[in-house]
C-alpha cells in the first residue's frame, strides 16, 4: 500500500504512538494515508480506537518481525 507519509513510532510506549500519530495526521489532507510503524503491543487497540473516534479509517494493519504496521486514511 502506498502511503503519503511514514511515521516511525518504534520503541515508543503508550501514549506516544498516539500523540505522534495525531500530530502527523494534522499535517495530512483529507483522504491521504499515513503509514505507522510501532512496536508497542497496545498500539493495535489504541490506534484503531483513536482512528474511529477521530473519523479516520484504519485501512490495514499487520505485523512483521515484531513491528506493527498500520495504514490510516485521514477522514
Amino acid at each position: 500500500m502506498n502511503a503519503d507519509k511514514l511515521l516511525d513510532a518504534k520503541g515508543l510506549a503508550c501514549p506516544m504512538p498516539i500523540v505522534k500519530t495525531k500530530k502527523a495526521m494534522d499535517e495530512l489532507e483529507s483522504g491521504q494515508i499515513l503509514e505507522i510503524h510501532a512496536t508497542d503491543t497496545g498500539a493495535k487497540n489504541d490506534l484503531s480506537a483513536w482512528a474511529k473516534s477521530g473519523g479516520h479509517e484504519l485501512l490495514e494493519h499487520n505485523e512483521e518481525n515484531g513491528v506493527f504496521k498500520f495504514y490510516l486514511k485521514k477522514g
Side-chain angles (χ1 to χ4, degrees):
M1 182 174 294
N2 290 332
D4 297 289
K5 185 175 177 95
L6 171 65
L7 172 64
D8 183 357
K10 295 190 294 283
L12 299 176
C14 189
M16 288 313 293
I18 295 292
V19 171
K20 293 206 176 272
T21 297
K22 182 187 182 318
K23 188 175 182 201
M25 285 297 255
D26 288 344
E27 297 170 4
L28 294 178
E29 301 290 326
S30 184
Q32 287 188 306
I33 296 172
L34 175 65
E35 179 178 348
I36 305 150
H37 293 181
T39 49
D40 181 16
T41 53
K44 182 179 174 187
N45 290 334
D46 293 345
L47 281 170
S48 57
W50 179 85
K52 198 176 289 184
S53 71
H56 309 298
E57 184 182 354
L58 178 59
L59 299 174
E60 183 183 320
H61 70 273
N62 55 55
E63 182 185 352
E64 232 175 77
N65 301 324
V67 176
F68 302 99
K69 296 183 180 180
F70 303 89
Y71 297 89
L72 291 179
K73 184 176 184 180
K74 182 167 181 169

